[in-house]
Structures are given as C-alpha cells and as structure tokens.
C-alpha cells in the first residue's frame, strides 16, 4: 500500500471530521441564536426545514459535480464553502434573514456531505477492504469537537457569530491544506463483486442498478428516520415517561451516540469478516431489540441499555448503504450516493416529526413501535446487499 493512498485516507478522515464539526458548531449555538433573533421553538422548527431543504438540494448538485469534475476538486471546494457559510446563521437578527442563512448553510453542508462520501467510496475501492464505517465515526467525533469548541468560545464571552467565524476560518484552512492528499482520479469500472449486476447488456444493467439504488435509498430513509427519532426523543423519553431528572435524562442521547461511534469504529473489521449484508441485517435486528427494551421497560437502567443497543445496532447500517450505492457504479458514485444520502436525510428530518405526531394518539414509549417496525423491515430487506462473497460464505456454511 503506497503512501499516497494512506494520505488520501487520512485526508478523508479530516473532511468527515470537519463536516461534523461545522454542523455541530451550528447545533451548539442554536439556543443563543434563537434568543438573538427572538423566535419561538415552533418558528425555529419551521426554519430548520429550510436547512434540510438546502442540504437535500446541495446533495443532488454535488453528486453530479463530483462525478464530472472529480472529488479532488469538489471536496475541498465544498469544504471551503461550508466553512465560510458557517458564520451566516450567527449574523441575522430577523427570522427571514436567518431563513436565508440556514438555506445557504444547508446547501453547502449537503454538498460537502455527498462529495466526501463519494471520495470515501473511491478510497475504499482502492484499499480493497471496508473502511467506510470509520469515516462516519469521525463525523461523530467532529460533533464532540464542536461541543468542546462551543463551550470554550462561550466561556470566553464570544458571540455566536464570532465563535462560528473563528471555527469557519480554521475550517477553510483545513480544507485547503488537506486537498492535495485526495485521490486525483476516480475509478471508472463498475465493481464486479457488487450485487445486482446482470449480463443482459448495458440497458438492463443500468435499470437493475437504478432499481437497486432506490431500494438502498429507501432503506437509508428507514434507518436515518430511526436515528433522527433517537436524537430528539431519547432524553425526553427518560424524563417524561420514566420520570428521570433532566441531568440523568440527558445521558440517554449520550449513551446512544457513544455506542454508535464505538460501533462505527469496529464495523469495518466486522464487514471484512462477515460481509455488509450481515452487518445491516443483524445490526437492524439488534436495534429492534434495543428500542423494544426502551419501549417496554419501566426501569431507567434498562432504558439506558436499550438506547445503547439501539445505537450499536444502527451504527454500521448507514455506512454500508452509502458504500453499496457508491460501488454499484463507481463512475456515477457521486450521483448514486446523493440519492441515498438525500432520501436518508429526509428520514433524519422526518423521524422526530413522525414520533411527535404519533404522541397525539399514544404514549411516547408506545410510539417507538414505529421504530421497531422500521428496523424489522430493514433487517428483512438486507439481502439487497448480498454479494458474490456472501453467496460463497453461505454455500461454505451450508456444506459444513
């Protein structure tokens, strides 16, 4: 393995961490920005839809640009743009200007998200072994860095705009410095080991690949809907359903996020040994067991265990779906990843809203039955990731 490939992998880690840090910096500044603009929670919720809309549009644009121009150009360019756009939400004093700022920041973030994932697919292909999950783990690490930086800037008395500007300036420098290490070209041949390819000619193969991509996108929507629900409802579950104090309830999301990060750091080795289909199937099944514990248990300690299992089970699912989308046709990795990431992002935004809507009819813990069902569907549909290696592994197991 040459030094340039190792450098490209390190640079990809840097961009994932940068993306997580930029998004996390916005998140930790939400309370201060909400107070500055003087808006209600309901108004903020509506404005956040624009953030998601911008991200979705950016993902579609960046996917095509990455395929046509190459990740070595698009990734650093979007890294610079996203870093520069970070300061925008910290400047407005009126809701309508905040709306425009969130739309712009969301667009830039979506561009960076898809382009770096497309480059990660090319790095993984060059390595010849799974490395995608570790990249997603560093995105979570970036969120932790954002929390630390946000606490430091707040204690120093800096305004949200000043703190976000400082973080964005550092992000611009990091994006530019890391650019040279990215892979100069992208693979153009399709991955012959991927499932879903046929020998019926280019047209039939294209239809098969397109159908498979949309199935992967639908599964990403289900999995990321579960993630989004955990992000917004885990702490409220412990506080409102089990009566835990706020200080204790806050650890519910921390437990979920910690096990998700740990799971992603371990998932690549498990994928290499058992295959991506097994990780998706048994990961979704584990998540279903975890959220069932959360929904049914009257004990706080069991709820913590359930959230931990939920995070651990979901941890490896999204990276496998992104990786499969990119490898289905590496010459169109950006466009394919943008479809899967875009629909998945819709699920991330819809998760909290779906659970909130159900709470009008049933208790919060009973609303989690929806998440159990989505995890079960994902586990059943995991066969979409079956590859030649999986079939060989299954034949060897059945003959032994």
């Amino acid at each position: 393995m040459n030094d340039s490939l190792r450098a490209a992998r390190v640079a990809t880690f840097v961009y994932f961490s940068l993306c997580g840090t930029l998004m996390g910096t916005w998140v930790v500044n939400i309370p201060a920005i909400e107070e500055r603009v003087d808006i209600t929670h309901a108004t903020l919720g509506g404005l956040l839809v624009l953030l998601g809309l911008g991200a979705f549009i950016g993902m579609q644009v960046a996917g095509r640009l990455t395929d046509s121009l190459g990740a070595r150009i698009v990734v650093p360019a979007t890294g610079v743009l996203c870093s520069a756009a970070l300061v925008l939400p910290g400047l407005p004093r009126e809701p309508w200007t905040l709306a425009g700022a969130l739309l712009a920041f969301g667009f830039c973030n979506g561009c960076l998200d898809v382009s770096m994932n497309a480059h990660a697919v090319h790095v993984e292909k060059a390595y010849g072994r799974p490395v995608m999950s570790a990249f997603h783990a560093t995105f979570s690490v970036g969120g932790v860095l954002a929390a630390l930086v946000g606490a430091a800037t707040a204690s120093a008395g800096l305004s949200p705009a000043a703190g976000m500007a400082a973080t964005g300036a550092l992000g611009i420098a990091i994006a530019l410095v890391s650019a040279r290490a990215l892979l100069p070209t992208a693979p153009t041949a399709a991955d012959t080991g991927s499932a879903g390819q046929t020998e019926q000619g280019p047209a039939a193969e294209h239809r098969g690949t397109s159908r498979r991509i949309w199935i992967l996108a639908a599964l990403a929507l289900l999995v990321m809907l579960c993630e989004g629900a955990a992000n917004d409802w885990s702490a409220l579950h412990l506080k409102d359903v089990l009566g835990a104090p706020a200080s204790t309830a806050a650890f519910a999301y921390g437990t979920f996020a910690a096990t998700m990060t740990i799971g992603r750091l371990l998932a690549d080795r498990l994928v290499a040994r058992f295959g991506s289909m097994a990780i998706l199937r048994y990961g979704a099944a584990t998540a279903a067991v975890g959220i069932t514990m959360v929904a049914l248990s009257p004990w706080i300690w069991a709820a913590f265990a359930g959230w931990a299992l939920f995070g651990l089970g979901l941890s490896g699912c999204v990276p496998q779906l992104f990786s499969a989308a990119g490898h289905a046709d590496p010459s169109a990795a950006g466009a394919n990843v943008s479809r899967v990431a875009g629909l998945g992002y819709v699920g991330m935004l819809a998760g909290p809203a779906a659970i909130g809507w159900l709470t009008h009819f049933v208790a919060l813990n009973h609303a989690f039955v929806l998440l159990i069902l989505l995890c079960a569907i994902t586990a059943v549909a995991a066969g979409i990731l079956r590859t030649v290696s999986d079939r060989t592994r299954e034949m060897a197991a059945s003959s032994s």
Side-chain angles (χ1 to χ4, degrees), residues 234 237-238 242 244 248 252 255 287-310 368:
S234 52
H237 165 258
L238 258 74
L242 300 182
T248 300
T255 301
V289 172
I291 197 62
T292 300
M293 291 175 60
V294 170
L296 299 180
S297 177
W299 303 297
I300 291 176
W301 64 266
F304 275 122
W307 285 117
L309 275 179
F310 194 52
F368 291 155

PDB file of all heavy atoms in Angstrom, residues 234 237-238 242 244 248 252 255 287-310 368:
ATOM      1  N   SER A 234     -34.826  10.712  22.802  1.00  0.00           N
ATOM      2  CA  SER A 234     -34.240   9.812  23.807  1.00  0.00           C
ATOM      3  C   SER A 234     -34.257  10.436  25.199  1.00  0.00           C
ATOM      4  O   SER A 234     -34.691   9.810  26.181  1.00  0.00           O
ATOM      5  CB  SER A 234     -32.814   9.424  23.406  1.00  0.00           C
ATOM      6  OG  SER A 234     -32.031  10.574  23.116  1.00  0.00           O
ATOM      7  N   HIS A 237     -37.768  10.841  26.544  1.00  0.00           N
ATOM      8  CA  HIS A 237     -38.353   9.571  26.976  1.00  0.00           C
ATOM      9  C   HIS A 237     -38.036   9.303  28.438  1.00  0.00           C
ATOM     10  O   HIS A 237     -38.905   8.967  29.243  1.00  0.00           O
ATOM     11  CB  HIS A 237     -37.840   8.427  26.100  1.00  0.00           C
ATOM     12  CG  HIS A 237     -38.097   7.079  26.686  1.00  0.00           C
ATOM     13  ND1 HIS A 237     -37.111   6.342  27.317  1.00  0.00           N
ATOM     14  CD2 HIS A 237     -39.232   6.332  26.768  1.00  0.00           C
ATOM     15  CE1 HIS A 237     -37.624   5.214  27.755  1.00  0.00           C
ATOM     16  NE2 HIS A 237     -38.900   5.178  27.425  1.00  0.00           N
ATOM     17  N   LEU A 238     -36.766   9.442  28.813  1.00  0.00           N
ATOM     18  CA  LEU A 238     -36.397   9.182  30.201  1.00  0.00           C
ATOM     19  C   LEU A 238     -37.044  10.182  31.148  1.00  0.00           C
ATOM     20  O   LEU A 238     -37.463   9.820  32.255  1.00  0.00           O
ATOM     21  CB  LEU A 238     -34.875   9.214  30.359  1.00  0.00           C
ATOM     22  CG  LEU A 238     -34.225   7.821  30.430  1.00  0.00           C
ATOM     23  CD1 LEU A 238     -34.215   7.176  29.055  1.00  0.00           C
ATOM     24  CD2 LEU A 238     -32.819   7.907  30.992  1.00  0.00           C
ATOM     25  N   LEU A 242     -40.273   7.914  32.187  1.00  0.00           N
ATOM     26  CA  LEU A 242     -39.730   7.211  33.352  1.00  0.00           C
ATOM     27  C   LEU A 242     -39.468   8.137  34.532  1.00  0.00           C
ATOM     28  O   LEU A 242     -39.043   7.676  35.596  1.00  0.00           O
ATOM     29  CB  LEU A 242     -38.432   6.489  32.956  1.00  0.00           C
ATOM     30  CG  LEU A 242     -38.575   5.432  31.850  1.00  0.00           C
ATOM     31  CD1 LEU A 242     -37.247   4.742  31.580  1.00  0.00           C
ATOM     32  CD2 LEU A 242     -39.638   4.407  32.221  1.00  0.00           C
ATOM     33  N   ALA A 244     -37.173  10.448  35.050  1.00  0.00           N
ATOM     34  CA  ALA A 244     -35.782  10.724  35.407  1.00  0.00           C
ATOM     35  C   ALA A 244     -35.548  12.226  35.470  1.00  0.00           C
ATOM     36  O   ALA A 244     -36.157  12.988  34.712  1.00  0.00           O
ATOM     37  CB  ALA A 244     -34.838  10.092  34.381  1.00  0.00           C
ATOM     38  N   THR A 248     -30.093  13.363  34.485  1.00  0.00           N
ATOM     39  CA  THR A 248     -29.952  11.940  34.138  1.00  0.00           C
ATOM     40  C   THR A 248     -30.459  11.662  32.733  1.00  0.00           C
ATOM     41  O   THR A 248     -29.844  10.913  31.969  1.00  0.00           O
ATOM     42  CB  THR A 248     -30.737  11.079  35.145  1.00  0.00           C
ATOM     43  OG1 THR A 248     -30.230  11.301  36.461  1.00  0.00           O
ATOM     44  CG2 THR A 248     -30.616   9.595  34.804  1.00  0.00           C
ATOM     45  N   ALA A 252     -29.221   9.811  28.092  1.00  0.00           N
ATOM     46  CA  ALA A 252     -29.824   8.844  27.168  1.00  0.00           C
ATOM     47  C   ALA A 252     -29.269   9.038  25.764  1.00  0.00           C
ATOM     48  O   ALA A 252     -28.835   8.081  25.105  1.00  0.00           O
ATOM     49  CB  ALA A 252     -31.344   9.002  27.175  1.00  0.00           C
ATOM     50  N   THR A 255     -25.570   8.126  25.634  1.00  0.00           N
ATOM     51  CA  THR A 255     -25.367   6.681  25.547  1.00  0.00           C
ATOM     52  C   THR A 255     -25.564   6.193  24.119  1.00  0.00           C
ATOM     53  O   THR A 255     -24.767   5.409  23.594  1.00  0.00           O
ATOM     54  CB  THR A 255     -26.346   5.968  26.487  1.00  0.00           C
ATOM     55  OG1 THR A 255     -26.131   6.405  27.823  1.00  0.00           O
ATOM     56  CG2 THR A 255     -26.167   4.449  26.410  1.00  0.00           C
ATOM     57  N   ALA A 287     -30.845  -3.320  16.776  1.00  0.00           N
ATOM     58  CA  ALA A 287     -31.513  -2.045  17.047  1.00  0.00           C
ATOM     59  C   ALA A 287     -32.977  -2.270  17.417  1.00  0.00           C
ATOM     60  O   ALA A 287     -33.518  -1.581  18.301  1.00  0.00           O
ATOM     61  CB  ALA A 287     -31.401  -1.130  15.836  1.00  0.00           C
ATOM     62  N   ALA A 288     -33.634  -3.226  16.746  1.00  0.00           N
ATOM     63  CA  ALA A 288     -35.028  -3.522  17.058  1.00  0.00           C
ATOM     64  C   ALA A 288     -35.169  -4.034  18.486  1.00  0.00           C
ATOM     65  O   ALA A 288     -36.103  -3.655  19.212  1.00  0.00           O
ATOM     66  CB  ALA A 288     -35.578  -4.552  16.065  1.00  0.00           C
ATOM     67  N   VAL A 289     -34.236  -4.889  18.919  1.00  0.00           N
ATOM     68  CA  VAL A 289     -34.257  -5.385  20.299  1.00  0.00           C
ATOM     69  C   VAL A 289     -34.049  -4.230  21.274  1.00  0.00           C
ATOM     70  O   VAL A 289     -34.744  -4.116  22.295  1.00  0.00           O
ATOM     71  CB  VAL A 289     -33.169  -6.459  20.506  1.00  0.00           C
ATOM     72  CG1 VAL A 289     -33.051  -6.828  21.984  1.00  0.00           C
ATOM     73  CG2 VAL A 289     -33.484  -7.701  19.677  1.00  0.00           C
ATOM     74  N   GLY A 290     -33.101  -3.346  20.957  1.00  0.00           N
ATOM     75  CA  GLY A 290     -32.819  -2.221  21.830  1.00  0.00           C
ATOM     76  C   GLY A 290     -34.003  -1.292  22.008  1.00  0.00           C
ATOM     77  O   GLY A 290     -34.353  -0.926  23.137  1.00  0.00           O
ATOM     78  N   ILE A 291     -34.639  -0.902  20.915  1.00  0.00           N
ATOM     79  CA  ILE A 291     -35.748   0.039  21.028  1.00  0.00           C
ATOM     80  C   ILE A 291     -36.974  -0.643  21.633  1.00  0.00           C
ATOM     81  O   ILE A 291     -37.824   0.026  22.255  1.00  0.00           O
ATOM     82  CB  ILE A 291     -36.082   0.676  19.646  1.00  0.00           C
ATOM     83  CG1 ILE A 291     -36.929   1.944  19.822  1.00  0.00           C
ATOM     84  CG2 ILE A 291     -36.761  -0.317  18.735  1.00  0.00           C
ATOM     85  CD1 ILE A 291     -36.255   3.042  20.603  1.00  0.00           C
ATOM     86  N   THR A 292     -37.086  -1.967  21.510  1.00  0.00           N
ATOM     87  CA  THR A 292     -38.154  -2.700  22.204  1.00  0.00           C
ATOM     88  C   THR A 292     -37.961  -2.618  23.717  1.00  0.00           C
ATOM     89  O   THR A 292     -38.921  -2.429  24.474  1.00  0.00           O
ATOM     90  CB  THR A 292     -38.178  -4.167  21.759  1.00  0.00           C
ATOM     91  OG1 THR A 292     -38.415  -4.235  20.346  1.00  0.00           O
ATOM     92  CG2 THR A 292     -39.279  -4.942  22.472  1.00  0.00           C
ATOM     93  N   MET A 293     -36.697  -2.761  24.154  1.00  0.00           N
ATOM     94  CA  MET A 293     -36.401  -2.604  25.580  1.00  0.00           C
ATOM     95  C   MET A 293     -36.783  -1.206  26.060  1.00  0.00           C
ATOM     96  O   MET A 293     -37.355  -1.037  27.139  1.00  0.00           O
ATOM     97  CB  MET A 293     -34.912  -2.858  25.833  1.00  0.00           C
ATOM     98  CG  MET A 293     -34.468  -4.289  25.652  1.00  0.00           C
ATOM     99  SD  MET A 293     -32.669  -4.465  25.833  1.00  0.00           S
ATOM    100  CE  MET A 293     -32.420  -3.874  27.516  1.00  0.00           C
ATOM    101  N   VAL A 294     -36.463  -0.208  25.248  1.00  0.00           N
ATOM    102  CA  VAL A 294     -36.796   1.171  25.602  1.00  0.00           C
ATOM    103  C   VAL A 294     -38.309   1.345  25.726  1.00  0.00           C
ATOM    104  O   VAL A 294     -38.814   1.969  26.676  1.00  0.00           O
ATOM    105  CB  VAL A 294     -36.245   2.152  24.548  1.00  0.00           C
ATOM    106  CG1 VAL A 294     -36.790   3.560  24.775  1.00  0.00           C
ATOM    107  CG2 VAL A 294     -34.719   2.171  24.587  1.00  0.00           C
ATOM    108  N   ALA A 295     -39.045   0.791  24.779  1.00  0.00           N
ATOM    109  CA  ALA A 295     -40.496   0.984  24.739  1.00  0.00           C
ATOM    110  C   ALA A 295     -41.216   0.281  25.887  1.00  0.00           C
ATOM    111  O   ALA A 295     -42.237   0.788  26.375  1.00  0.00           O
ATOM    112  CB  ALA A 295     -41.046   0.493  23.403  1.00  0.00           C
ATOM    113  N   LEU A 296     -40.684  -0.859  26.328  1.00  0.00           N
ATOM    114  CA  LEU A 296     -41.421  -1.687  27.283  1.00  0.00           C
ATOM    115  C   LEU A 296     -40.924  -1.590  28.724  1.00  0.00           C
ATOM    116  O   LEU A 296     -41.675  -1.872  29.653  1.00  0.00           O
ATOM    117  CB  LEU A 296     -41.375  -3.159  26.841  1.00  0.00           C
ATOM    118  CG  LEU A 296     -41.988  -3.478  25.475  1.00  0.00           C
ATOM    119  CD1 LEU A 296     -41.873  -4.970  25.188  1.00  0.00           C
ATOM    120  CD2 LEU A 296     -43.445  -3.035  25.426  1.00  0.00           C
ATOM    121  N   SER A 297     -39.661  -1.214  28.910  1.00  0.00           N
ATOM    122  CA  SER A 297     -39.087  -1.295  30.254  1.00  0.00           C
ATOM    123  C   SER A 297     -39.556  -0.143  31.156  1.00  0.00           C
ATOM    124  O   SER A 297     -39.561   1.015  30.753  1.00  0.00           O
ATOM    125  CB  SER A 297     -37.562  -1.278  30.170  1.00  0.00           C
ATOM    126  OG  SER A 297     -37.020  -1.282  31.483  1.00  0.00           O
ATOM    127  N   PRO A 298     -39.895  -0.464  32.407  1.00  0.00           N
ATOM    128  CA  PRO A 298     -40.251   0.579  33.384  1.00  0.00           C
ATOM    129  C   PRO A 298     -39.055   1.069  34.185  1.00  0.00           C
ATOM    130  O   PRO A 298     -39.207   1.904  35.076  1.00  0.00           O
ATOM    131  CB  PRO A 298     -41.251  -0.142  34.290  1.00  0.00           C
ATOM    132  CG  PRO A 298     -40.773  -1.563  34.289  1.00  0.00           C
ATOM    133  CD  PRO A 298     -40.190  -1.821  32.917  1.00  0.00           C
ATOM    134  N   TRP A 299     -37.859   0.515  33.895  1.00  0.00           N
ATOM    135  CA  TRP A 299     -36.671   0.840  34.685  1.00  0.00           C
ATOM    136  C   TRP A 299     -35.716   1.725  33.881  1.00  0.00           C
ATOM    137  O   TRP A 299     -35.452   1.489  32.704  1.00  0.00           O
ATOM    138  CB  TRP A 299     -35.940  -0.433  35.106  1.00  0.00           C
ATOM    139  CG  TRP A 299     -36.814  -1.374  35.882  1.00  0.00           C
ATOM    140  CD1 TRP A 299     -37.404  -1.143  37.089  1.00  0.00           C
ATOM    141  CD2 TRP A 299     -37.214  -2.686  35.478  1.00  0.00           C
ATOM    142  NE1 TRP A 299     -38.143  -2.237  37.475  1.00  0.00           N
ATOM    143  CE2 TRP A 299     -38.047  -3.211  36.510  1.00  0.00           C
ATOM    144  CE3 TRP A 299     -36.952  -3.482  34.357  1.00  0.00           C
ATOM    145  CZ2 TRP A 299     -38.611  -4.466  36.442  1.00  0.00           C
ATOM    146  CZ3 TRP A 299     -37.503  -4.739  34.283  1.00  0.00           C
ATOM    147  CH2 TRP A 299     -38.319  -5.222  35.320  1.00  0.00           C
ATOM    148  N   ILE A 300     -35.140   2.707  34.558  1.00  0.00           N
ATOM    149  CA  ILE A 300     -34.222   3.638  33.892  1.00  0.00           C
ATOM    150  C   ILE A 300     -32.975   2.922  33.395  1.00  0.00           C
ATOM    151  O   ILE A 300     -32.520   3.154  32.257  1.00  0.00           O
ATOM    152  CB  ILE A 300     -33.846   4.796  34.850  1.00  0.00           C
ATOM    153  CG1 ILE A 300     -35.062   5.686  35.095  1.00  0.00           C
ATOM    154  CG2 ILE A 300     -32.700   5.622  34.272  1.00  0.00           C
ATOM    155  CD1 ILE A 300     -34.815   6.799  36.093  1.00  0.00           C
ATOM    156  N   TRP A 301     -32.425   2.015  34.210  1.00  0.00           N
ATOM    157  CA  TRP A 301     -31.193   1.324  33.799  1.00  0.00           C
ATOM    158  C   TRP A 301     -31.430   0.488  32.549  1.00  0.00           C
ATOM    159  O   TRP A 301     -30.555   0.394  31.679  1.00  0.00           O
ATOM    160  CB  TRP A 301     -30.661   0.445  34.939  1.00  0.00           C
ATOM    161  CG  TRP A 301     -31.571  -0.700  35.328  1.00  0.00           C
ATOM    162  CD1 TRP A 301     -32.518  -0.712  36.309  1.00  0.00           C
ATOM    163  CD2 TRP A 301     -31.613  -2.007  34.724  1.00  0.00           C
ATOM    164  NE1 TRP A 301     -33.161  -1.927  36.362  1.00  0.00           N
ATOM    165  CE2 TRP A 301     -32.612  -2.746  35.396  1.00  0.00           C
ATOM    166  CE3 TRP A 301     -30.908  -2.612  33.686  1.00  0.00           C
ATOM    167  CZ2 TRP A 301     -32.916  -4.066  35.072  1.00  0.00           C
ATOM    168  CZ3 TRP A 301     -31.214  -3.932  33.349  1.00  0.00           C
ATOM    169  CH2 TRP A 301     -32.206  -4.642  34.046  1.00  0.00           C
ATOM    170  N   ALA A 302     -32.610  -0.124  32.432  1.00  0.00           N
ATOM    171  CA  ALA A 302     -32.919  -0.923  31.245  1.00  0.00           C
ATOM    172  C   ALA A 302     -33.119  -0.032  30.027  1.00  0.00           C
ATOM    173  O   ALA A 302     -32.777  -0.416  28.895  1.00  0.00           O
ATOM    174  CB  ALA A 302     -34.156  -1.781  31.493  1.00  0.00           C
ATOM    175  N   ALA A 303     -33.670   1.174  30.244  1.00  0.00           N
ATOM    176  CA  ALA A 303     -33.824   2.110  29.127  1.00  0.00           C
ATOM    177  C   ALA A 303     -32.460   2.539  28.603  1.00  0.00           C
ATOM    178  O   ALA A 303     -32.251   2.630  27.380  1.00  0.00           O
ATOM    179  CB  ALA A 303     -34.626   3.326  29.578  1.00  0.00           C
ATOM    180  N   PHE A 304     -31.517   2.802  29.511  1.00  0.00           N
ATOM    181  CA  PHE A 304     -30.159   3.126  29.079  1.00  0.00           C
ATOM    182  C   PHE A 304     -29.570   1.988  28.249  1.00  0.00           C
ATOM    183  O   PHE A 304     -28.941   2.212  27.207  1.00  0.00           O
ATOM    184  CB  PHE A 304     -29.255   3.411  30.282  1.00  0.00           C
ATOM    185  CG  PHE A 304     -29.327   4.818  30.778  1.00  0.00           C
ATOM    186  CD1 PHE A 304     -29.690   5.096  32.084  1.00  0.00           C
ATOM    187  CD2 PHE A 304     -29.026   5.888  29.939  1.00  0.00           C
ATOM    188  CE1 PHE A 304     -29.760   6.399  32.546  1.00  0.00           C
ATOM    189  CE2 PHE A 304     -29.095   7.195  30.392  1.00  0.00           C
ATOM    190  CZ  PHE A 304     -29.465   7.451  31.704  1.00  0.00           C
ATOM    191  N   ALA A 305     -29.770   0.756  28.718  1.00  0.00           N
ATOM    192  CA  ALA A 305     -29.261  -0.402  27.981  1.00  0.00           C
ATOM    193  C   ALA A 305     -29.918  -0.497  26.605  1.00  0.00           C
ATOM    194  O   ALA A 305     -29.268  -0.837  25.608  1.00  0.00           O
ATOM    195  CB  ALA A 305     -29.499  -1.681  28.777  1.00  0.00           C
ATOM    196  N   GLY A 306     -31.207  -0.178  26.547  1.00  0.00           N
ATOM    197  CA  GLY A 306     -31.915  -0.221  25.280  1.00  0.00           C
ATOM    198  C   GLY A 306     -31.409   0.827  24.297  1.00  0.00           C
ATOM    199  O   GLY A 306     -31.190   0.531  23.116  1.00  0.00           O
ATOM    200  N   TRP A 307     -31.189   2.052  24.783  1.00  0.00           N
ATOM    201  CA  TRP A 307     -30.650   3.091  23.904  1.00  0.00           C
ATOM    202  C   TRP A 307     -29.239   2.743  23.445  1.00  0.00           C
ATOM    203  O   TRP A 307     -28.849   3.051  22.309  1.00  0.00           O
ATOM    204  CB  TRP A 307     -30.659   4.447  24.598  1.00  0.00           C
ATOM    205  CG  TRP A 307     -32.015   5.074  24.700  1.00  0.00           C
ATOM    206  CD1 TRP A 307     -32.708   5.367  25.834  1.00  0.00           C
ATOM    207  CD2 TRP A 307     -32.867   5.462  23.610  1.00  0.00           C
ATOM    208  NE1 TRP A 307     -33.930   5.922  25.524  1.00  0.00           N
ATOM    209  CE2 TRP A 307     -34.049   6.003  24.173  1.00  0.00           C
ATOM    210  CE3 TRP A 307     -32.743   5.416  22.231  1.00  0.00           C
ATOM    211  CZ2 TRP A 307     -35.096   6.482  23.388  1.00  0.00           C
ATOM    212  CZ3 TRP A 307     -33.789   5.899  21.437  1.00  0.00           C
ATOM    213  CH2 TRP A 307     -34.939   6.417  22.007  1.00  0.00           C
ATOM    214  N   ALA A 308     -28.466   2.101  24.332  1.00  0.00           N
ATOM    215  CA  ALA A 308     -27.114   1.675  23.947  1.00  0.00           C
ATOM    216  C   ALA A 308     -27.171   0.642  22.825  1.00  0.00           C
ATOM    217  O   ALA A 308     -26.421   0.728  21.839  1.00  0.00           O
ATOM    218  CB  ALA A 308     -26.383   1.110  25.157  1.00  0.00           C
ATOM    219  N   LEU A 309     -28.064  -0.339  22.952  1.00  0.00           N
ATOM    220  CA  LEU A 309     -28.212  -1.360  21.907  1.00  0.00           C
ATOM    221  C   LEU A 309     -28.734  -0.738  20.616  1.00  0.00           C
ATOM    222  O   LEU A 309     -28.334  -1.140  19.508  1.00  0.00           O
ATOM    223  CB  LEU A 309     -29.169  -2.457  22.378  1.00  0.00           C
ATOM    224  CG  LEU A 309     -28.589  -3.580  23.220  1.00  0.00           C
ATOM    225  CD1 LEU A 309     -29.704  -4.555  23.600  1.00  0.00           C
ATOM    226  CD2 LEU A 309     -27.476  -4.310  22.480  1.00  0.00           C
ATOM    227  N   PHE A 310     -29.631   0.209  20.750  1.00  0.00           N
ATOM    228  CA  PHE A 310     -30.193   0.874  19.571  1.00  0.00           C
ATOM    229  C   PHE A 310     -29.088   1.576  18.779  1.00  0.00           C
ATOM    230  O   PHE A 310     -28.999   1.448  17.555  1.00  0.00           O
ATOM    231  CB  PHE A 310     -31.257   1.872  20.027  1.00  0.00           C
ATOM    232  CG  PHE A 310     -32.145   2.390  18.928  1.00  0.00           C
ATOM    233  CD1 PHE A 310     -32.799   1.516  18.071  1.00  0.00           C
ATOM    234  CD2 PHE A 310     -32.351   3.756  18.759  1.00  0.00           C
ATOM    235  CE1 PHE A 310     -33.645   1.993  17.067  1.00  0.00           C
ATOM    236  CE2 PHE A 310     -33.185   4.237  17.770  1.00  0.00           C
ATOM    237  CZ  PHE A 310     -33.826   3.353  16.917  1.00  0.00           C
ATOM    238  N   PHE A 368     -42.718   4.378  19.898  1.00  0.00           N
ATOM    239  CA  PHE A 368     -41.479   3.763  19.439  1.00  0.00           C
ATOM    240  C   PHE A 368     -41.716   2.437  18.717  1.00  0.00           C
ATOM    241  O   PHE A 368     -40.782   1.870  18.141  1.00  0.00           O
ATOM    242  CB  PHE A 368     -40.525   3.548  20.611  1.00  0.00           C
ATOM    243  CG  PHE A 368     -39.975   4.832  21.189  1.00  0.00           C
ATOM    244  CD1 PHE A 368     -39.544   4.899  22.504  1.00  0.00           C
ATOM    245  CD2 PHE A 368     -39.890   5.982  20.414  1.00  0.00           C
ATOM    246  CE1 PHE A 368     -39.037   6.072  23.032  1.00  0.00           C
ATOM    247  CE2 PHE A 368     -39.388   7.170  20.931  1.00  0.00           C
ATOM    248  CZ  PHE A 368     -38.957   7.212  22.248  1.00  0.00           C
TER     249      PHE A 368
END
